[in-house]
Amino acid sequence: MTVTIYHNPRCSKSRQTLALLEEKGAAPKIVDYLKTPPSAAELKAILKKLGLKPQDIVRKGEARYAELELKERTVSDDELIELMVENPILIERPIVVAGGKAAIGRPPETVLTIL
């Protein structure tokens, strides 16, 4: 089974999740999503595996969220996905995908349920 982690090496939860995966014997494909963001289609597929909507994985505390005035305006799911692709800092991290499942590593142990 292929395991992929959408990872931000500057994020402590992301580093902890990666370490946990490696400790459990997984050799995940590491995607530094800030440098290589998922496409809109990839993000939609990840959301489907998570069973979540785009607004569920937006980092509302990020400065970019405020700059884009996302709290003050209504955007469609497709618009929000495009904004996350253009501004990957808005995507919650880390996200681990394994087979047909995905989980957000907050807390890191959450990802063990999909291995």
Side-chain angles (χ1 to χ4, degrees), residues 3-72:
V3 178
T4 302
I5 181 170
Y6 290 85
H7 178 62
N8 177 350
R10 297 181 66 194
C11 170
S12 64
K13 293 294 183 203
S14 198
R15 290 192 309 270
Q16 290 169 10
T17 301
L18 177 57
L20 181 62
L21 289 170
E22 292 171 340
E23 178 184 303
K24 296 297 180 183
K29 174 184 172 190
I30 301 169
V31 177
D32 184 339
Y33 73 96
L34 294 177
K35 293 180 182 174
T36 310
S39 68
E42 290 170 324
L43 194 51
K44 285 179 184 179
I46 292 167
L47 284 161
K48 186 173 182 179
K49 290 175 184 177
L50 286 168
L52 298 174
K53 295 203 163 282
Q55 59 268 23
D56 298 329
I57 67 164
V58 172
R59 294 180 57 84
K60 296 170 181 73
E62 289 292 334
R64 190 69 182 130
Y65 182 84
E67 291 166 5
L68 292 169
E69 299 177 341
L70 290 173
K71 186 176 181 180
E72 293 81 22

Side-chain angles (χ1 to χ4, degrees), residues 39-113:
S39 68
E42 290 170 324
L43 194 51
K44 285 179 184 179
I46 292 167
L47 284 161
K48 186 173 182 179
K49 290 175 184 177
L50 286 168
L52 298 174
K53 295 203 163 282
Q55 59 268 23
D56 298 329
I57 67 164
V58 172
R59 294 180 57 84
K60 296 170 181 73
E62 289 292 334
R64 190 69 182 130
Y65 182 84
E67 291 166 5
L68 292 169
E69 299 177 341
L70 290 173
K71 186 176 181 180
E72 293 81 22
R73 62 185 177 126
T74 303
V75 295
S76 71
D77 286 354
D78 286 339
E79 288 173 307
L80 190 51
I81 286 170
E82 284 301 325
L83 286 169
M84 287 191 285
V85 169
E86 294 166 9
N87 303 275
I89 193 72
L90 294 174
I91 302 171
E92 185 60 86
R93 61 186 179 253
I95 297 174
V96 176
V97 178
K101 300 178 184 177
I104 297 174
R106 290 188 173 270
E109 296 76 23
T110 303
V111 302
L112 296 178
T113 63

